[in-house]
Amino acid sequence: MTDTPRPGPTTRVGSTYRVQVRPGFDLDATAGLTDYLADLGVTHLYSAPLLTATPGSQHGYDVVDHRAVNPELGGEAGRQRLVRALRAAGLGLVVDIVPNHAGVARPAANPAWWDVLRRGRESAYADWFDIDWDRGRLLLPVLADTPDALDDLKVADGELRYHEHRFPIADGTGDGTGRQVHDRQHYELVSWRRGDAELTYRRFFAVSDLAGLRVEDPEVFRATHAEILRWADAGELDGIRVDHPDGLRDPAEYLARLRAAAPAAWLVVEKILEYGEELPDWPVDGTTGYDALAAVSGLFVDPRAEGDFTALDTRLTGHPTSWPNLTHDTKLAAATRLLAAELSRLAALVPELEREQVRAALAELAACFPVYRGYPPEGARHLAAARAEAGRRRPDLTATLDAVTARLRDPGHELAARFPQLTGAVMAKGVEDTAYYRWSRFVALNEVGGSPAHFGVPPAEFHRFAAARQVRWPASMTALSTHDTKRGEDVRARLAVLSELPGRWAERVGDWMSRAPLADPAFAHLLWQTAVGAWPIERERLHAYVEKAAREASVSTSWADPDPAFERQLHALVDRMYDDPELHAELTEFAAGITPAGWSNSLGQKLVQLTMPGVPDTYQGTELWENSLVDPDNRRPVDFAVRRELLARLDGGDRPAVAADGAAKLLVVSRTLRLRRDRPELFAGYRPVPVRGRAAAHALAFDRGGAIAVATRLPLGLAGAGGWRDTTLSLPVHPVTDLFTGQVYSGSELLLDDLLSTYPVALLAPTDSVEAAA
């Protein structure tokens, strides 16, 4: 990594607050939050996608019309009202955009897709979508998996109908039965099961309802970005979050075009970096923060527990698990099953070689690729690593691997341009959406952008990471929770406590699993950890989570072929957690016993995330304790009235205890964000602050250029060792004030026993600057 500092964006974004704008919480409801967000201390609202999405969409990532704001959110008038409200509150706007794909689940809602279906290759929009027209008609996987499904086709109102599905009819082809009309169209309706294997258009991962867009075409870029860029040109948009750049044909070229079109915008990309991987030298301000999430959360995991949890996992499952072998197998399955259509399209680009051999070689290379996708110049190294590992695993493919790799190294070959789009999807589906649900050794580590095999982050490693960010990516986003995280930040913080009591956890979970067995012990371990991390959790939420998680794991049940018997057993186990008095009491007691240490971890990781180099994001609702699980659980409505009331109490002078209402977390969030907003010069650097004494390993402290953050880590171990005792923190020569307690400190050394007697965290700023801000 180069040490050359990067220039910052023209528009300064100090911090963001993510709101899942959606039907039911539209632009006007969002505008109603602006005074609260300003009081909280953020500088910018960070919104979910706002362009017209599939009717009823709860997330907005299935855009169907790029020309207008979603009418279900309030349309253009609603956006204008939001902009006025933001300006009145002194806030700016950051918007999520989706360049890689468009929603096609309801063709009539997407004018471009509808026209392509109607006119085929003659459509003015035929080049918008990444369609392989040479393979014949455009396949749409909507039919039931029965031989007579086409008999249900009907012609009505000039359209072809299949139950609730509507499709256009090409001019002059509408006479006859539904099947006869169907056979004359530019598209072919096929079984939903054929989608993964035979589709003729590129998708977002394996989601057939999301068709890939060809934004590498300048005309497509202009058409799909005109509205967003109009907002930027009008000064109504300060930042852009780019969804899934890895799916694009040429992300570097795309981002250069976007930067040229919006030169003043704060620009961040949802680029998932593997452990130790660097962001390419793109014209952006950084990532959306998963790299920071992994580093911060890992601080509160005790690395010394790795051996104990590995032994526990082996004992519970009956066999040792190799993370490299597991992820290889899940990635290979993703490439050859879920993404078989994309794999076949790539294999067809090497017609001079035997097709099945090429498919096997490409699948093996994708399964062995060490990162989501390679980019120059590091891409050559990653490809070499994948080739070496693929050759080790499949020596029978040596000749084909060599031939295919040679083409992948040729930047002029179509295979070299398309293969990276496959590797990212294979990594996401094989690891994030499968292996993370299979390897349950310690699920606090199974997070987007994380590395479950990397057990914890020592303070020295975090300091190196943070110092490098300050030099290279000072405006990159930091995050602890997003709409894509597998568990909310407070769930992970409580689960981190288990790393401090591995023996007790092994005894407890072993007893529970023996009394309430499940046919899949690895998944049972995931379930018990999740329950402990989120307890108390509403029964229906846990039921919904375990069904999704088990189907994602695809071991005992799956989305394609659910196993009713196993799922009945799974739901029966969840019900036992609530209905068996003894089991319920033990689960409640255990969760309650680790909750205070979990709160300490939550406050610590939140303070570190908010103060470290970068632009901190607060995901909606997480300014209080928030025990969400994977989506859609983490998109539940947020009670902002409670948050407003608590913030008013804090501003009235309350100094809350670290307790169940979460007010202590709100105190940390609001005071930290306000200091960053009002005194940005205190956050212009980074250096570790020395901590000395017998408990020094339990503290993390750094100076951002005047603001000093201090956090407690491994709180159970700290208590077991007798507390802070003689442990001290080095202070600057001038007096400093802790923004959480109001206490003033002076002198060169400060006892942590004094500093952290009220809260397990502290934020110190020069006293004169605090008084001036007040």
Side-chain angles (χ1 to χ4, degrees):
M1 182 185 70
T2 177
D3 290 331
T4 304
R6 297 182 62 84
T10 303
T11 300
R12 185 184 181 277
V13 178
S15 62
T16 60
Y17 187 98
R18 169 73 176 204
V19 175
Q20 292 296 115
V21 186
R22 65 188 188 281
F25 199 90
D26 61 10
L27 291 162
D28 286 317
T30 304
L33 297 179
T34 54
D35 61 331
Y36 167 71
L37 298 182
D39 288 344
L40 192 63
V42 299
T43 66
H44 285 71
L45 167 71
Y46 163 32
S47 167
L50 299 182
L51 296 179
T52 304
T54 301
S57 173
Q58 292 297 302
H59 50 76
Y61 290 94
D62 46 356
V63 176
V64 296
D65 192 340
H66 295 81
R67 299 172 297 180
V69 176
N70 192 342
E72 293 187 320
L73 304 181
E76 175 61 13
R79 187 189 70 85
Q80 289 288 352
R81 289 191 293 271
L82 173 62
V83 168
R84 289 194 294 269
L86 289 169
R87 285 176 172 169
L91 302 177
L93 178 63
V94 175
V95 169
D96 207 337
I97 66 169
V98 192
N100 176 70
H101 51 268
V104 297
R106 295 174 62 173
N110 187 324
W113 186 252
W114 184 266
D115 196 74
V116 169
L117 297 184
R118 182 184 175 201
R119 303 178 189 276
R121 299 180 83 160
E122 300 305 314
S123 169
Y125 303 99
D127 290 337
W128 276 41
F129 302 97
D130 198 351
I131 300 169
D132 186 1
W133 291 106
D134 293 337
R135 289 175 58 193
R137 291 199 287 169
L138 179 56
L139 301 185
L140 304 179
V142 299
L143 299 180
D145 191 34
T146 57
D148 58 351
L150 287 172
D151 292 340
D152 291 332
L153 289 175
K154 294 180 173 53
V155 177
D157 299 326
E159 297 174 351
L160 190 62
R161 304 283 178 85
Y162 178 71
H163 301 295
E164 75 276 14
H165 300 283
R166 301 164 49 204
F167 304 95
I169 295 175
D171 294 345
T173 65
D175 294 333
T177 66
R179 291 192 69 148
Q180 290 170 334
V181 172
H182 166 263
D183 290 343
R184 303 186 192 109
Q185 302 312 306
H186 298 285
Y187 55 86
E188 178 183 356
L189 307 184
V190 299
S191 162
W192 65 270
R193 285 190 181 273
R194 289 178 61 184
D196 292 338
E198 301 181 34
L199 282 199
T200 51
Y201 61 92
R202 180 173 62 84
R203 305 169 288 174
F204 168 70
F205 297 159
V207 183
S208 299
D209 289 343
L210 298 173
L213 288 168
R214 296 185 61 254
V215 292
E216 64 269 18
D217 184 323
E219 290 299 321
V220 178
F221 177 90
R222 280 192 287 270
T224 55
H225 289 67
E227 185 66 4
I228 292 289
L229 294 176
R230 182 179 70 82
W231 305 346
D233 290 342
E236 298 168 345
L237 180 63
D238 299 318
I240 297 173
R241 182 261 197 194
V242 178
D243 182 68
H244 188 48
D246 277 346
L248 303 176
R249 180 184 176 93
D250 190 342
E253 180 185 60
Y254 166 81
L255 292 167
R257 184 177 290 123
L258 182 60
R259 171 57 78 199
W266 179 62
L267 189 59
V268 290
V269 290
E270 189 206 19
K271 170 60 185 163
I272 312 299
L273 300 168
E274 288 295 282
Y275 180 73
E277 183 186 4
E278 297 293 338
L279 182 66
D281 191 21
W282 289 335
V284 301
D285 295 295
T287 73
T288 53
Y290 289 113
D291 48 345
L293 185 157
V296 175
S297 294
L299 271 171
F300 300 87
V301 173
D302 191 341
R304 297 171 299 181
E306 181 173 14
D308 293 310
F309 275 88
T310 300
L312 173 61
D313 179 70
T314 301
R315 184 164 71 252
L316 294 177
T317 61
H319 59 82
T321 298
S322 162
W323 178 246
N325 287 341
L326 171 61
T327 54
H328 168 270
D329 294 347
T330 54
K331 289 169 68 178
L332 187 64
T336 56
R337 298 175 192 170
L338 293 176
L339 299 162
E342 287 77 5
L343 183 65
S344 295
R345 186 173 182 180
L346 294 184
L349 297 174
V350 193
E352 64 272 23
L353 300 178
E354 199 278 321
R355 181 68 56 86
E356 287 307 309
Q357 288 283 300
V358 175
R359 288 184 86 258
L362 287 170
E364 194 64 49
L365 286 169
C368 296
F369 213 80
V371 297
Y372 278 72
R373 85 179 258 177
Y375 294 97
E378 292 297 313
R381 178 171 64 84
H382 296 315
L383 178 59
R387 168 62 187 88
E389 181 62 11
R392 186 186 72 81
R393 290 180 180 272
R394 291 294 304 271
D396 58 305
L397 290 175
T398 295
T400 307
L401 284 167
D402 285 341
V404 168
T405 302
R407 288 158 178 80
L408 292 175
R409 290 185 177 128
D410 178 1
H413 200 289
E414 183 70 4
L415 185 65
R418 288 190 174 274
F419 181 69
Q421 293 175 295
L422 176 70
T423 61
V426 166
M427 180 73 83
K429 296 305 298 178
V431 180
E432 282 181 43
D433 292 345
T434 305
Y436 278 2
Y437 293 97
R438 289 191 187 180
W439 198 37
S440 54
R441 179 181 72 161
F442 187 64
V443 299
L445 302 175
N446 296 14
E447 193 50 83
V448 182
S451 176
H454 187 74
F455 207 100
V457 176
E461 181 180 335
F462 176 82
H463 286 313
R464 289 192 296 271
F465 171 82
R469 279 175 64 91
Q470 176 61 29
V471 172
R472 186 65 177 149
W473 300 104
S476 187
M477 180 181 279
T478 69
L480 284 180
S481 298
T482 77
H483 58 281
D484 282 331
T485 42
K486 304 300 183 185
R487 291 165 192 83
E489 60 197 63
D490 296 326
V491 175
R492 294 195 307 275
R494 191 193 297 177
L495 287 173
V497 180
L498 300 182
S499 71
E500 295 198 73
L501 37 83
R504 184 180 167 203
W505 172 246
E507 179 182 357
R508 184 73 283 178
V509 76
D511 178 54
W512 286 338
M513 288 175 61
S514 67
R515 289 158 53 195
L518 186 69
D520 185 339
F523 190 81
H525 193 202
L526 178 145
L527 170 54
W528 285 107
Q529 288 177 80
T530 302
V532 163
W535 202 263
I537 180 173
E538 296 86 346
R539 184 193 302 242
E540 62 274 14
R541 288 176 55 208
L542 192 55
H543 273 298
Y545 170 79
V546 297
E547 183 170 294
K548 174 174 180 172
R551 290 182 179 183
E552 294 279 38
S554 298
V555 173
S556 300
T557 187
S558 68
W559 292 110
D561 295 294
D563 185 319
F566 175 78
E567 292 189 3
R568 283 194 298 271
Q569 184 186 24
L570 182 61
H571 288 297
L573 174 55
V574 171
D575 282 330
R576 278 198 65 179
M577 293 179 175
Y578 296 88
D579 298 334
D580 182 321
E582 186 175 3
L583 202 59
H584 183 271
E586 291 173 359
L587 178 56
T588 301
E589 180 183 12
F590 187 90
I594 63 173
T595 291
W599 287 339
S600 176
N601 287 341
S602 292
L603 296 179
Q605 68 178 10
K606 197 64 187 175
L607 176 66
V608 172
Q609 180 246 332
L610 294 177
T611 56
M612 70 183 289
V615 175
D617 177 59
T618 301
Y619 184 72
Q620 61 175 34
T622 60
E623 61 269 38
L624 298 185
W625 308 135
E626 217 285 321
N627 67 339
S628 285
L629 302 175
V630 74
D631 71 286
D633 193 65
N634 57 21
R635 301 179 189 182
R636 302 187 326 280
V638 174
D639 190 339
F640 285 104
V642 167
R643 287 159 176 78
R644 287 178 186 273
E645 179 184 349
L646 284 175
L647 186 57
R649 282 169 40 193
L650 295 179
D651 290 342
D654 277 9
R655 284 295 176 266
V658 181
D661 66 358
K665 190 178 184 187
L666 183 61
L667 176 72
V668 169
V669 172
S670 61
R671 275 41 183 176
T672 305
L673 290 179
R674 290 174 183 178
L675 184 66
R676 289 200 66 142
R677 177 193 63 196
D678 299 337
R679 300 302 304 271
E681 73 278 6
L682 299 179
F683 295 85
Y686 186 89
R687 69 171 183 86
V689 173
V691 179
R692 299 180 178 86
R694 283 173 286 184
H698 292 277
L700 180 88
F702 53 82
D703 185 342
R704 289 300 319 280
I708 299 174
V710 186
T712 301
R713 58 187 298 270
L714 311 182
L716 291 186
L718 174 66
W724 294 113
R725 294 184 293 179
D726 60 349
T727 307
T728 61
L729 176 79
S730 296
L731 284 180
V733 295
H734 51 73
V736 293
T737 298
D738 179 9
L739 272 74
F740 306 145
T741 64
Q743 292 293 315
V744 178
Y745 302 95
S746 59
S748 60
E749 296 288 328
L750 173 60
L751 283 169
L752 287 185
D753 205 32
D754 292 335
L755 178 65
L756 303 179
S757 60
T758 302
Y759 301 116
V761 293
L763 178 59
L764 303 174
T767 298
D768 57 354
S769 69
V770 174
E771 292 172 348

